[in-house]
Amino acid sequence: MAAKTPLYDAHIEAGARMVEFAGWSLPIRYGSLVEEHQAVRERAGMFDVSHMTVVDVEGDGAREGLRRLLANDVDKIREDGQAIYGCMLNDDGGIIDDLITYRIEAGFYRLVVNAATRDGDLAWMNERLAGEDVTIRERDDLAMLAVQGPEARAVLAERLGVPDIEHLKPFRSMLHGELFIARTGYTGEDGCEIVLPNGLIGDLFQTLLDAGVAPCGLGARDSLRLEAGLNLYGQDMDTTTTPLESNLAWTVAFEPSERDFIGRGALEAQREGGVDRQLVGLVLGTGGIPRSGARVITASGDGEVTSGGFGPTVGRPVAMARIPTGASGEVEVELRGKRLPARVVKLPFVRNGRVAEAVLAEPDDG
């Protein structure tokens, strides 16, 4: 039986259609997926992301342990409350998970990891940090609500009575009572993610509903992150792909050169020798919606769609695909035996609510 978040009953009462995702029962949508998508693009929407796992890492060995465990360097965090995004790798450079790491204070870090990778993440962390002066604690007493959209911070500041939220810098966090408020998210829009005790999330959800914040499901979250060109773990990256093959080279801190993080040797070899695959965006014409696993035919060889769907803001089908390095221009996507024309573009498709100019150029419809 799928696990339930503390908001399960509230979702049902709000009319959500529930589905199982990563072992959890979560809303896929409440009404129209497109209306939920547009609510986040134009105003504010909220997502129950309580299925994600909060892990606190504390102790005198926390900093050095995380500097070895993560491909990004927690020493890039300049002040308490700041966060970095990056990957946890295996010895071959494959991505075990992508996660956000916050420094609460010296020797105290908070990690937010994916739901589907929870068990593997915790086992890997415990194994690789064994013997260190570190305590690793899964916080299943905490829930998480993402409030996203151009009006999100203003609504939160007013409804929570915390004007400082409007001045919170990107990738910074603050504490307000029992609420941990971070200016982060995974929709490509502005907003905050709020970590709070399980018993408090119901009141916050209702407060924001009363303020007109739209409840949104997994469907809108996926279309938003796809248009934003953000990888979904398990589709666009996994243990068989490295950050350098996944548009995430910017999250790897190769400097200082003496930092010996797990997977470094494999990534250095790739950086020196080059990668054979690249993750790109595809824009299609009419004729079909690209789905994960669909074959991509290029002049340099075949690739594969990793994520695909209709982009409500773009107004046409879009996809992320892993194709041979160097392939560009016009390609084809094979759907049910039919080859549909597509065009390779640089990600993201949408930035700050606006469609990228290169995306707007029309490919030939099949």
Side-chain angles (χ1 to χ4, degrees):
M1 180 178 293
K4 298 178 181 178
T5 75
L7 282 180
Y8 178 83
D9 290 340
H11 293 316
I12 299 297
E13 187 175 343
R17 177 186 170 194
M18 307 297 285
V19 297
E20 182 171 341
F21 174 80
W24 292 81
S25 183
L26 293 167
I28 184 74
R29 58 182 172 82
Y30 295 81
S32 163
L33 182 155
V34 173
E35 289 180 3
E36 292 171 18
H37 180 107
Q38 292 305 111
V40 176
R41 282 272 183 259
E42 298 168 2
R43 302 181 303 279
M46 57 181 165
F47 304 83
D48 179 11
V49 288
S50 302
H51 59 296
M52 300 188 74
T53 306
V54 178
V55 180
D56 286 345
V57 179
E58 298 180 69
D60 290 341
R63 171 178 161 266
E64 281 304 322
L66 290 175
R67 293 192 78 210
R68 190 170 68 256
L69 194 69
L70 304 177
N72 211 340
D73 188 356
V74 296
D75 271 6
K76 291 164 65 176
I77 297 176
R78 297 189 298 272
E79 59 191 29
D80 292 346
Q82 189 176 352
I84 57 170
Y85 170 77
C87 298
M88 184 163 62
L89 309 179
N90 61 26
D91 294 319
D92 298 325
I95 301 172
I96 294 174
D97 202 1
D98 65 317
L99 60 154
I100 294 179
T101 303
Y102 303 88
R103 189 179 79 191
I104 307 299
E105 60 185 36
F108 180 9
Y109 295 84
R110 171 161 290 174
L111 282 57
V112 178
V113 306
N114 284 301
T117 54
R118 169 189 165 278
D119 292 342
D121 285 1
L122 289 168
W124 183 260
M125 293 169 65
N126 279 301
E127 175 191 329
R128 292 306 178 109
L129 298 184
E132 304 285 350
D133 184 9
V134 166
T135 300
I136 300 170
R137 184 162 59 118
E138 180 190 4
R139 297 297 305 272
D140 56 7
D141 58 318
L142 298 177
M144 192 166 166
L145 193 69
V147 188
Q148 302 279 286
E151 299 177 2
R153 284 189 296 133
V155 171
L156 284 168
E158 178 188 355
R159 291 292 166 155
L160 295 178
V162 189
D164 287 349
I165 293 175
E166 291 220 62
H167 308 293
L168 194 62
K169 295 178 181 177
F171 269 69
R172 300 299 199 281
S173 63
M174 58 179 290
L175 292 171
H176 174 64
E178 296 183 89
L179 276 58
F180 176 83
I181 304 168
R183 191 175 169 189
T184 51
Y186 216 65
T187 62
E189 292 292 339
D190 195 4
C192 294
E193 294 177 303
I194 303 170
V195 177
L196 71 174
N198 290 331
L200 299 182
I201 194 171
D203 287 345
L204 178 60
F205 185 78
Q206 187 60 53
T207 295
L208 295 175
L209 271 181
D210 294 342
V213 177
C216 303
L218 293 168
R221 190 161 187 255
D222 196 53
S223 59
L224 287 159
R225 73 91 196 161
L226 174 60
E227 286 190 335
L230 299 172
N231 292 10
L232 178 64
Y233 193 84
Q235 289 188 194
D236 307 300
M237 58 185 170
D238 56 27
T239 54
T240 69
T241 59
T242 73
L244 305 191
E245 299 168 319
S246 306
N247 276 348
L248 294 175
W250 64 275
T251 71
V252 180
F254 284 107
E255 298 295 336
S257 57
E258 63 270 20
R259 186 174 70 94
D260 188 22
F261 64 85
I262 297 169
R264 179 176 191 121
L267 294 193
E268 286 185 333
Q270 272 197 339
R271 186 171 63 160
E272 184 175 341
V275 296
D276 296 328
R277 305 176 294 175
Q278 58 179 338
L279 191 64
V280 300
L282 300 180
V283 180
L284 286 78
T286 58
I289 303 297
R291 297 300 183 193
S292 176
R295 179 187 176 203
V296 181
I297 301 104
T298 84
S300 302
D302 286 356
E304 183 179 271
V305 169
T306 54
S307 290
F310 183 79
T313 305
V314 175
R316 57 191 317 124
V318 294
M320 294 167 67
R322 184 163 278 107
I323 63 175
T325 297
S328 62
E330 304 299 321
V331 300
E332 293 179 314
V333 177
E334 188 174 82
L335 296 176
R336 296 183 294 277
K338 183 178 179 182
R339 293 187 175 186
L340 304 178
R343 182 165 44 86
V344 176
V345 298
K346 184 179 179 182
L347 294 168
F349 303 104
V350 176
R351 184 190 295 276
N352 298 325
R354 299 174 65 90
V355 181
E357 287 189 14
V359 174
L360 294 173
E362 295 285 332
D364 294 331
D365 289 347

